Amino acid sequence: MRTGLALAGAALLAGSGLAVTATSVSAAPPSTPSNSLLAAAGAALENHARAVKGSPQDRYTVYSSKRDARGNGVVRYTRTHQGLRVYGGDLVIRVGADGAFTGSSVGLAKPLSLSVSPKVGTASARAAARKAFSGKVASVGKPELFIDASSGAPALAWETVVNGMAKDDQTPSRLHVVSDATTNAVRGSFDEIETVDGTGNSLYSGSVAIDTTPSGDAYTLVDPVRGNGRTCDLNNGTSTCTTFTDSDNVWGTGAITDRASAAVDAHFGAATTFDYFHDVHGRNGIFGNGTGVPSRVHYGNAYVNAFWDGAQMTYGDGTGNAKPLVALDVAGHEMSHGVTENVVPGGLTYSGESGGLNEATSDIFGTMVEFYANTTGDPGDYDIGEKIDIRGTGAPLRYMYNPALDGVSHSCWSTATNGVDVHYSSGVANHFFFNLAEGTGATAYGTSPICGAAEPVVGIGREKAEKIWFRALDTYFVSNTRYVNTAAPANTARAYSLSAAADLYGLCGTEYKAVQAAWTAVNVAGSDYCPTDHDFSVAISPGTVTLDRGETVTTNLATTVTNGTPETATLTATGAPAGVTVAFSPAEITAGESATVTVTTSETLGTGTYPITLTATTPSVAHSTILHLTVRSPQGCTAANDTDVAIPDNTTVTSSVELSGCTITPSSSSAVEVHIVHTYIGDLVVSLVAPDGSVYTLHDRAGGSTDNIDQTYAVNLSGESPDGTWTLRVQDTAAIDTGYLNSWSLSL
Ligand SMILES: [Zn+2]
C-alpha cells in the first residue's frame, strides 16, 4: 500500500466552485488525460458538492481519469481539508459521454468540520507508533498530520511509518500507524507490505513459454514484450538481486536444484498476470502504464511467504528452501495488489473490511489469472496457493467456495468481520465471487454453503463475474469501501458491484439479480430492489393522521400495479401499540385496488406519535408503507402553565393548572412535561399533585450537578378524576444552587 501518492494531471478545484488550476505533473497512476473529461468532471464536482460531502475548506486533486468503451468518463480525486490530506476522503466522479454528471462514490458520511490544531506533539506520536510495532524496529519516520476518515468518526491524526522486520525476522514491514492527535490513542495501522498469508517448482506450471532478451552471446530474464519486467536471484539474501542469465535460452529444469526453475515460474507469473489484465480488462499492465513488474526469487532463508511492496514481487523459497512460493495464483494475487493500489488512491485501506476487500480482490484476480493461463500443470480452481503447501499439510491456503474450511476465514459476513485479519475477512467477498461465478451448492470446484436462510444462487460464469468485479474496483470503489456501512450505505461493495453489473449487463437483469443473490447468500443485505413478475406499489393517503384518544379515523390504502399481471394481496398491520386497533375493508384486495383502513384508539391510550406498518402481501412479493398516528388528549384534558416560578434554596414552590370538561378516563401513561432551569438538579424533588391530593413523584434528587430538567414523564393517572386543580410541586432540598420553573404541561 502506498499512501504517499503521486498525483496525475493535477487540477485543484475550490469547494466553493472556483477555477481549476494546473499544477505539476509527476509520474503517476494510469491516466488518459482528456481536457474535456476533466472539465466536465470538474464542473460536476462543483455542482454536486453535497453529493461528495464537500466542505468549503476542501480542495480536490485529480488522481486519474479515463473513459470506457462507451465514452463514459471516470475521474478520481483525492481531497484535502484545511490543507491536510484526508485519508478516506478520496472520491469518484462519473460523467456520461455527453459530459453530464451520472454519479459519484464517496467515503465520507458528511462534510468535515474539525479543528486542525494537534494537542499531541510529534515525539509522543512517534512513541505511540514505535509501541504499536511488533518485531524489530529499524527506523521511525517523521509523523505527518492528516485527517483520518478511513473508518468511524473522522479525526485529526498523526501517521507515522515504522520500518523494520516483522516477528518472523524475514518479512520486511513498513507499518503505517495512525494515532489520534488529540488523545494519542492508536486508531489503527496497516502494513505497506502485502503478503500472501496472514502469518506466515517451472516448478508448478510445467513447461511454459517465456519472453527473454538477448544480451551479447547470451540471454537475460527480462521480458521485452511487457515493459521489461525482469526476474532476479536474491541468492537467499534480502537485498542484492542478480538478473538471471542463460547461454542457450532454455531456463530451469523443473527441479528445485536449478535456481532458474523458480525464476521461470515467477517470470511466467508476471507475464501471465500482465496479459490477463491487458487482454481481459483492457488495463496496460499492473501499473496501467505498460511498465513491467520486477520479480525477485530466492528471498531469505526458508522464508514461507511472498509479498508485494508497492513496486515489485518478492518470493521466498518455502519450508526447507524446498517449496518456492512462485505458483501462478500467488503471483497473480500479489500483483493484483499492485493493480488495486494503483486504481484506488492509497489502495483499499489494508485493515478492517476495506482490507478484506483488498485481499479478496487479489484472491479473485489471482484465481482468474490461473484460469486464464489454463496450464495442464496448474489448471484453474478456487483454491488459493494449492501448489505451495504453505502449511506443510498439502492443504491449500484458502478456499473461495467455502472460506471457513481453513478454520479462520469468514464465509458469511457478521459484525465480527471488520475486526479480523484482512486475509480472513476476505472470505466474505471470495465466497460472494464464487457464488456469482459458479453458484451455491455442489459445483465442479467445491460445495458453496448458503449463509442463513438466503435463496440458492445460480452462477453467471467467470467471464461475467470477473468483469463485474473489475469494473466495481476500477469505477466505483474508494479507499474505505466496506461490506456493510450504516453511516454511508452507498459506499459498499454490494452497492458498487450492483452498479457495475447494471453498467455492463443492465439494471435488474439476470446478472444484476445474481449479484444481489450472491451477496445475500454471504449475509450481506441491501436495500436495492428489482421488480418481480407480478409487482405493485403501496401508498396511503393521508399518511399522517392526528386524533384524540378514544376517537376513530379512516385513511385510504391504494395499490398500483407496476409490473406484470396483478395478484391477490392480503393486508396486515404491525407495530400498533396496545389500545390501537387497525381494520382493513376489505382485508383482501387485488393489486391495483384500494382498501379503507380504520384506526380505533382506546380512551386510556397514552398521547404520542406511533408508526404503524401496513403491508400488502401477494404470493410473489410484499410491500409496506408506514402510517404515522398522532394521538392527542381530548379538549379539556390538557393544560399548561408557562409562568416562571423562582426556586430559592431550601424552599418548596408550586404551579397549578385547571382542567374542566374532560370526560375521558386519564391514561395509564399520561404525559407530564417539565422544564426547570437549575444548576444542580440533584437538589430537587418534583411531584405532581392530583385534584384529590394524591402525590406522584416525578424526580427525586437524581442527576447530581446536571443542569436543568427538560423531560416528559409518563404517569399512571388512570385512578384519578380528571377535572379540578392539578399542581406541580418543586422542592429545593439544599443550599447554594438555585433556579426556576420555566413551564410545565399536563396531558391526561
Ligand atoms: Zn494479499
Side-chain angles (χ1 to χ4, degrees):
M1 300 275 293
R2 301 175 128 173
T3 54
L5 299 173
L7 297 167
L12 293 177
L13 200 121
S16 54
L18 295 178
V20 172
T21 312
T23 61
S24 64
V25 176
S26 58
S31 156
T32 314
S34 153
N35 287 332
S36 63
L37 172 56
L38 293 182
L45 184 52
E46 272 184 46
N47 294 330
H48 297 84
R50 285 167 67 101
V52 301
K53 312 297 178 193
S55 125
Q57 291 160 305
D58 287 359
R59 297 291 179 274
Y60 310 100
T61 303
V62 173
Y63 174 78
S64 66
S65 65
K66 67 188 284 189
R67 281 195 192 275
D68 68 15
R70 298 175 200 183
N72 298 311
V74 178
V75 181
R76 286 181 177 272
Y77 296 85
T78 56
R79 179 192 320 243
T80 61
H81 180 74
Q82 299 187 55
L84 294 180
R85 175 171 63 90
V86 182
Y87 195 41
D90 54 304
L91 60 109
V92 184
I93 294 286
R94 290 178 291 276
V95 296
D98 61 356
F101 177 68
T102 56
S104 60
S105 300
V106 58
L108 297 184
K110 54 184 181 186
L112 292 168
S113 172
L114 73 176
S115 161
V116 295
S117 303
K119 294 214 163 59
V120 172
T122 55
S124 302
R126 286 174 63 122
R130 177 181 286 270
K131 215 173 144 197
F133 189 91
S134 58
K136 201 178 289 175
V137 175
S139 66
V140 180
K142 182 168 173 262
E144 180 201 347
L145 192 64
F146 77 122
I147 293 166
D148 179 21
S150 59
S151 70
L156 186 68
W158 292 106
E159 177 170 334
T160 311
V161 181
V162 185
N163 280 286
M165 281 291 180
K167 277 189 287 191
D168 66 5
D169 211 23
Q170 291 211 70
T171 307
S173 180
R174 286 203 285 276
L175 191 71
H176 293 241
V177 179
V178 176
S179 55
D180 194 293
T182 305
T183 66
N184 208 28
V186 172
R187 289 173 57 83
S189 65
F190 61 88
D191 208 310
E192 200 174 315
I193 309 293
E194 291 160 324
T195 61
V196 69
D197 182 30
T199 58
N201 302 328
S202 126
L203 297 172
Y204 308 118
S205 291
S207 180
V208 294
I210 55 175
D211 290 297
T212 62
T213 300
S215 172
D217 292 340
Y219 299 85
T220 61
L221 209 44
V222 174
D223 188 338
V225 181
R226 299 169 190 84
N228 293 321
R230 75 179 185 123
T231 300
C232 62
D233 187 352
L234 279 159
N235 283 300
N236 296 103
T238 57
S239 54
T240 305
C241 203
T242 310
T243 302
F244 282 90
T245 59
D246 191 89
S247 56
D248 62 1
N249 210 19
V250 176
W251 303 80
T253 59
I256 187 77
T257 44
D258 187 332
R259 299 189 73 76
S261 296
V264 170
D265 283 89
H267 203 67
F268 177 68
T272 307
T273 305
F274 189 110
D275 287 352
Y276 169 77
F277 281 105
H278 185 273
D279 296 352
V280 178
H281 302 300
R283 181 178 174 81
N284 195 8
I286 303 310
F287 301 106
N289 60 4
T291 306
V293 170
S295 299
R296 309 191 303 168
V297 298
H298 302 303
Y299 173 84
N301 184 25
Y303 180 60
V304 192
N305 215 332
F307 59 87
W308 170 260
D309 64 10
Q312 62 194 354
M313 277 306 309
T314 301
Y315 301 92
D317 276 347
T319 306
N321 290 321
K323 294 253 172 152
L325 283 89
V326 290
L328 190 53
D329 57 357
V330 176
H333 172 109
E334 293 303 337
M335 281 177 276
S336 296
H337 280 308
V339 172
T340 298
E341 71 189 26
N342 277 276
V343 166
V344 179
L348 285 157
T349 302
Y350 206 53
S351 62
E353 289 187 5
S354 56
L357 286 166
N358 189 328
E359 267 301 304
T361 298
S362 280
D363 280 349
I364 288 166
F365 291 131
T367 293
M368 292 301 102
V369 166
E370 191 178 85
F371 274 105
Y372 172 84
N374 193 27
T375 65
T376 48
D378 184 9
D381 55 56
Y382 289 89
D383 295 335
I384 305 296
E386 71 280 0
K387 292 285 181 188
I388 55 177
D389 195 19
I390 198 167
R391 302 181 191 286
T393 61
L397 185 55
R398 285 186 286 277
Y399 308 81
M400 293 179 73
Y401 55 90
N402 184 4
L405 281 179
D406 67 4
V408 280
S409 289
H410 287 205
S411 284
C412 307
W413 181 86
S414 74
T415 52
T417 301
N418 192 49
V420 301
D421 184 282
V422 295
H423 299 85
Y424 311 148
S425 57
S426 59
V428 176
N430 281 347
H431 193 193
F432 154 80
F433 185 85
F434 183 87
N435 290 346
L436 181 63
E438 309 292 345
T440 52
T443 75
Y445 303 102
T447 298
S448 168
I450 294 170
C451 303
E455 297 287 321
V457 181
V458 177
I460 59 172
R462 288 185 292 278
E463 291 71 20
K464 287 178 175 174
E466 68 190 340
K467 287 201 166 59
I468 288 171
W469 193 258
F470 184 81
R471 186 169 177 87
L473 172 72
D474 194 33
T475 303
Y476 291 95
F477 283 4
V478 291
S479 62
N480 62 358
T481 296
R482 302 177 55 137
Y483 292 120
V484 174
N485 189 339
T486 47
N491 184 25
T492 59
R494 176 172 173 135
Y496 289 149
S497 55
L498 282 170
S499 294
D503 292 345
L504 294 170
Y505 305 110
L507 182 68
C508 290
T510 303
E511 295 82 2
Y512 187 95
K513 288 177 179 171
V515 172
Q516 290 180 310
W519 279 120
T520 303
V522 297
N523 198 32
V524 174
S527 56
D528 37 87
Y529 178 75
C530 289
T532 70
D533 288 344
H534 307 281
D535 216 348
F536 64 97
S537 62
V538 175
I540 187 163
S541 179
T544 300
V545 294
T546 301
L547 73 173
D548 288 347
R549 233 183 356 245
E551 283 186 342
T552 294
V553 293
T554 61
T555 179
N556 183 61
L557 182 143
T559 59
T560 306
V561 175
T562 56
N563 200 35
T565 51
E567 295 179 318
T568 300
T570 306
L571 306 178
T572 52
T574 50
V580 174
T581 56
V582 180
F584 298 93
S585 178
E588 269 192 6
I589 57 174
T590 301
E593 296 176 346
S594 298
T596 300
V597 184
T598 302
V599 181
T600 306
T601 59
S602 78
E603 287 198 340
T604 54
L605 182 66
T607 57
T609 296
Y610 305 102
I612 300 172
T613 303
L614 308 180
T615 304
T617 307
T618 69
S620 299
V621 66
H623 289 297
S624 296
T625 186
I626 293 181
L627 169 65
H628 297 276
L629 187 70
T630 298
V631 177
R632 297 176 308 204
S633 279
Q635 277 264 296
C637 302
T638 65
N641 189 335
D642 59 5
T643 304
D644 291 356
V645 179
I647 308 170
D649 277 333
N650 289 308
T651 307
T652 299
V653 299
T654 61
S655 172
S656 297
V657 296
E658 291 286 333
L659 292 185
S660 66
C662 179
T663 57
I664 62 161
T665 303
S667 168
S668 59
S669 58
S670 295
V672 186
E673 186 174 344
V674 178
H675 297 283
I676 293 173
V677 176
H678 200 278
T679 52
Y680 198 94
I681 67 173
D683 284 2
L684 301 180
V685 179
V686 182
S687 315
L688 177 71
V689 185
D692 68 356
S694 322
V695 176
Y696 298 86
T697 302
L698 307 177
H699 173 93
D700 190 0
R701 282 168 286 209
S705 62
T706 316
D707 284 347
N708 306 342
I709 291 177
D710 289 292
Q711 196 173 336
T712 300
Y713 301 92
V715 187
N716 182 354
L717 300 178
S718 57
E720 298 293 335
S721 303
D723 285 357
T725 302
W726 293 81
T727 301
L728 191 75
R729 190 169 74 194
V730 183
Q731 289 172 267
D732 183 293
T733 62
I736 302 174
D737 288 278
T738 60
Y740 63 98
L741 171 61
N742 193 9
S743 65
W744 74 286
S745 66
L746 174 65
S747 177
L748 294 183

